[in-house]
mmCIF file of all heavy atoms in Angstrom:
data_model
loop_
_atom_site.group_PDB
_atom_site.id
_atom_site.type_symbol
_atom_site.label_atom_id
_atom_site.label_comp_id
_atom_site.label_asym_id
_atom_site.label_seq_id
_atom_site.Cartn_x
_atom_site.Cartn_y
_atom_site.Cartn_z
ATOM 1 N N LEU A 39 1.502 4.100 -18.397
ATOM 2 C CA LEU A 39 0.821 5.313 -19.038
ATOM 3 C C LEU A 39 1.689 5.887 -20.026
ATOM 4 O O LEU A 39 1.073 6.345 -21.069
ATOM 5 C CB LEU A 39 0.557 6.335 -17.829
ATOM 6 C CG LEU A 39 -0.124 7.581 -18.232
ATOM 7 C CD1 LEU A 39 -1.484 7.275 -18.737
ATOM 8 C CD2 LEU A 39 -0.126 8.579 -17.157
ATOM 9 N N GLY A 40 2.969 5.981 -19.893
ATOM 10 C CA GLY A 40 3.861 6.408 -20.919
ATOM 11 C C GLY A 40 3.742 5.614 -22.200
ATOM 12 O O GLY A 40 3.759 6.095 -23.309
ATOM 13 N N GLY A 41 3.708 4.329 -22.091
ATOM 14 C CA GLY A 41 3.547 3.346 -23.263
ATOM 15 C C GLY A 41 2.204 3.629 -23.915
ATOM 16 O O GLY A 41 2.172 3.653 -25.139
ATOM 17 N N LEU A 42 1.183 3.727 -23.131
ATOM 18 C CA LEU A 42 -0.163 3.946 -23.768
ATOM 19 C C LEU A 42 -0.228 5.294 -24.492
ATOM 20 O O LEU A 42 -0.835 5.455 -25.536
ATOM 21 C CB LEU A 42 -1.277 3.911 -22.685
ATOM 22 C CG LEU A 42 -1.558 2.559 -22.150
ATOM 23 C CD1 LEU A 42 -2.576 2.604 -20.932
ATOM 24 C CD2 LEU A 42 -2.026 1.591 -23.199
ATOM 25 N N VAL A 43 0.366 6.306 -23.960
ATOM 26 C CA VAL A 43 0.399 7.659 -24.580
ATOM 27 C C VAL A 43 1.210 7.471 -25.875
ATOM 28 O O VAL A 43 0.881 8.095 -26.951
ATOM 29 C CB VAL A 43 0.974 8.756 -23.692
ATOM 30 C CG1 VAL A 43 1.330 10.001 -24.427
ATOM 31 C CG2 VAL A 43 0.028 8.965 -22.538
ATOM 32 N N GLY A 44 2.347 6.775 -25.812
ATOM 33 C CA GLY A 44 3.127 6.514 -27.083
ATOM 34 C C GLY A 44 2.311 5.841 -28.147
ATOM 35 O O GLY A 44 2.418 6.173 -29.340
ATOM 36 N N ILE A 45 1.510 4.863 -27.740
ATOM 37 C CA ILE A 45 0.739 4.159 -28.743
ATOM 38 C C ILE A 45 -0.325 5.056 -29.303
ATOM 39 O O ILE A 45 -0.669 5.013 -30.492
ATOM 40 C CB ILE A 45 0.115 2.874 -28.083
ATOM 41 C CG1 ILE A 45 1.233 1.861 -27.833
ATOM 42 C CG2 ILE A 45 -0.973 2.231 -28.979
ATOM 43 C CD1 ILE A 45 0.779 0.658 -26.946
ATOM 44 N N ALA A 46 -0.895 5.888 -28.496
ATOM 45 C CA ALA A 46 -1.931 6.839 -29.004
ATOM 46 C C ALA A 46 -1.254 7.849 -29.980
ATOM 47 O O ALA A 46 -1.882 8.197 -31.015
ATOM 48 C CB ALA A 46 -2.496 7.591 -27.848
ATOM 49 N N VAL A 47 -0.017 8.251 -29.720
ATOM 50 C CA VAL A 47 0.632 9.172 -30.629
ATOM 51 C C VAL A 47 0.887 8.461 -31.899
ATOM 52 O O VAL A 47 0.742 9.038 -33.063
ATOM 53 C CB VAL A 47 1.973 9.722 -29.995
ATOM 54 C CG1 VAL A 47 2.830 10.384 -30.972
ATOM 55 C CG2 VAL A 47 1.655 10.592 -28.826
ATOM 56 N N ALA A 48 1.305 7.193 -31.921
ATOM 57 C CA ALA A 48 1.522 6.393 -33.097
ATOM 58 C C ALA A 48 0.227 6.290 -33.942
ATOM 59 O O ALA A 48 0.311 6.334 -35.095
ATOM 60 C CB ALA A 48 2.110 5.039 -32.752
ATOM 61 N N ALA A 49 -0.840 6.098 -33.323
ATOM 62 C CA ALA A 49 -2.168 6.002 -34.007
ATOM 63 C C ALA A 49 -2.483 7.270 -34.742
ATOM 64 O O ALA A 49 -3.011 7.369 -35.803
ATOM 65 C CB ALA A 49 -3.337 5.643 -33.063
ATOM 66 N N VAL A 50 -2.211 8.404 -34.045
ATOM 67 C CA VAL A 50 -2.439 9.736 -34.654
ATOM 68 C C VAL A 50 -1.481 9.923 -35.869
ATOM 69 O O VAL A 50 -1.925 10.414 -36.895
ATOM 70 C CB VAL A 50 -2.203 10.867 -33.608
ATOM 71 C CG1 VAL A 50 -2.260 12.242 -34.281
ATOM 72 C CG2 VAL A 50 -3.314 10.849 -32.610
ATOM 73 N N ILE A 51 -0.330 9.474 -35.804
ATOM 74 C CA ILE A 51 0.673 9.698 -36.882
ATOM 75 C C ILE A 51 0.180 8.770 -38.032
ATOM 76 O O ILE A 51 0.265 9.213 -39.164
ATOM 77 C CB ILE A 51 2.122 9.315 -36.422
ATOM 78 C CG1 ILE A 51 2.592 10.399 -35.441
ATOM 79 C CG2 ILE A 51 3.060 9.116 -37.562
ATOM 80 C CD1 ILE A 51 3.888 9.956 -34.745
ATOM 81 N N ALA A 52 -0.202 7.559 -37.726
ATOM 82 C CA ALA A 52 -0.502 6.582 -38.853
ATOM 83 C C ALA A 52 -1.833 6.881 -39.516
ATOM 84 O O ALA A 52 -1.946 6.758 -40.699
ATOM 85 C CB ALA A 52 -0.460 5.170 -38.271
ATOM 86 N N TYR A 53 -2.822 7.190 -38.731
ATOM 87 C CA TYR A 53 -4.159 7.281 -39.234
ATOM 88 C C TYR A 53 -4.726 8.727 -39.454
ATOM 89 O O TYR A 53 -5.621 9.054 -40.069
ATOM 90 C CB TYR A 53 -5.132 6.513 -38.409
ATOM 91 C CG TYR A 53 -4.859 5.043 -38.410
ATOM 92 C CD1 TYR A 53 -4.423 4.347 -37.252
ATOM 93 C CD2 TYR A 53 -5.032 4.249 -39.572
ATOM 94 C CE1 TYR A 53 -4.169 3.081 -37.253
ATOM 95 C CE2 TYR A 53 -4.833 2.959 -39.592
ATOM 96 C CZ TYR A 53 -4.363 2.298 -38.381
ATOM 97 O OH TYR A 53 -4.097 0.929 -38.457
#
Side-chain angles (χ1 to χ4, degrees):
L39 183 64
L42 291 175
V43 169
I45 291 171
V47 168
V50 168
I51 292 172
Y53 297 111

